[in-house]
Amino acid sequence: MATTGAELLMQAISPHGNLPLVRRLEAVGFRAWPAASVVYDGSWQVRLTGGHPSKRLNCLVPLDPSDHRDVDLRIEKARKRFEHYGRPLLVRETPLSPKPLLDRLAGQGWRPFETVNVMVADLAGLELPDTLGHLPSHDIGRYIDASLAVHGEDASLKPALAEILSAIKPVSGLFIAENPGEGPVAVALCVQDADLAGILSFAVAADRRRQGAGTEMLTAALRWARISGARTAWLQVHDDNVAALSLYGRFGFRQAYQYRYWRQETGV
């Protein structure tokens, strides 16, 4: 029997149901934002993407609290793989990470430097309009141009983003809000994976924030996800993004867990 959105929300605030929820959200997150290269060392997932610097696409992710054998050897093996891609090794800590590994990293001069909240909301309980304010686009090139403009990112990332978006296997909707003569105002990627829908790359142009564009865009994406059969929405947001956390809270999103990135401090 499928888990309802309300039941997942209860798991998010229940320590007894946390790890199964983390495992499920990690799995759908990997499918929603796929790395170009994924290899496993035991239960440790090594994710690398040469053309895009996203930390989610370039990190080591341990996925079993009991898998902490040969830590030093496996860290060095992962480091060499990252060096081959010209990237520094980053470790992504979730509630699934083995504590002995984290203790070892701390003892070797590694430090956490960024914390992200993973949040969920029950779509069935949301009050959403009957009609879609924005229809999803299937034009990847147009969406990428809009996304790069809204995020203020370099156009050189366009080929890598095209590769990432083309590699997404679940059903996805590319949402773009535009004003004639003004260019893109807001963008969002919604990826529906069975009964779960992820909101990714959501952003509002800097000069259009706090004017309702974000609420309008998020409403459209969530409405589309519910029409498409999703019961629960999930997203990721930096823990210091006060404006985004306030917006998501109004839509009923609650924290399921946090993850952190670790890097080794230079000179240690």
Side-chain angles (χ1 to χ4, degrees), residues 75-150:
I75 286 290
E76 188 57 30
K77 182 179 177 181
R79 190 195 309 277
K80 289 179 179 178
R81 184 175 292 274
F82 273 70
E83 288 175 352
H84 180 72
Y85 275 73
R87 300 199 182 281
L89 175 61
L90 300 179
V91 175
R92 184 166 165 270
E93 173 202 349
T94 75
L96 301 175
S97 299
K99 186 177 183 302
L101 166 63
L102 301 177
D103 291 342
R104 187 63 174 166
L105 293 178
Q108 294 181 346
W110 291 68
R111 299 292 181 266
F113 67 96
E114 185 175 294
T115 301
V116 178
N117 294 349
V118 181
M119 309 182 78
V120 294
D122 176 18
L123 285 176
L126 283 182
E127 292 186 11
L128 298 172
D130 293 332
T131 57
L132 288 174
H134 297 279
L135 293 174
S137 171
H138 298 288
D139 187 335
I140 289 179
R142 176 170 166 256
Y143 172 80
I144 291 173
D145 287 339
S147 181
L148 291 173
V150 170

Side-chain angles (χ1 to χ4, degrees), residues 13-84:
I13 60 176
S14 169
H16 303 293
N18 189 46
L19 288 186
L21 177 61
V22 173
R23 290 189 179 94
R24 190 168 184 215
L25 290 174
E26 285 292 294
V28 297
F30 294 151
R31 292 192 291 269
W33 200 240
S37 169
V38 176
V39 298
Y40 281 89
D41 180 353
S43 63
W44 296 10
Q45 187 181 101
V46 182
R47 298 167 58 79
L48 281 159
T49 303
H52 199 286
S54 164
K55 289 184 287 296
R56 274 191 286 172
L57 298 176
N58 296 278
C59 59
L60 168 64
V61 191
L63 295 170
D64 183 345
S66 67
D67 185 3
H68 50 80
R69 59 178 176 76
D70 302 324
V71 166
D72 291 341
L73 179 63
R74 295 165 75 186
I75 286 290
E76 188 57 30
K77 182 179 177 181
R79 190 195 309 277
K80 289 179 179 178
R81 184 175 292 274
F82 273 70
E83 288 175 352
H84 180 72

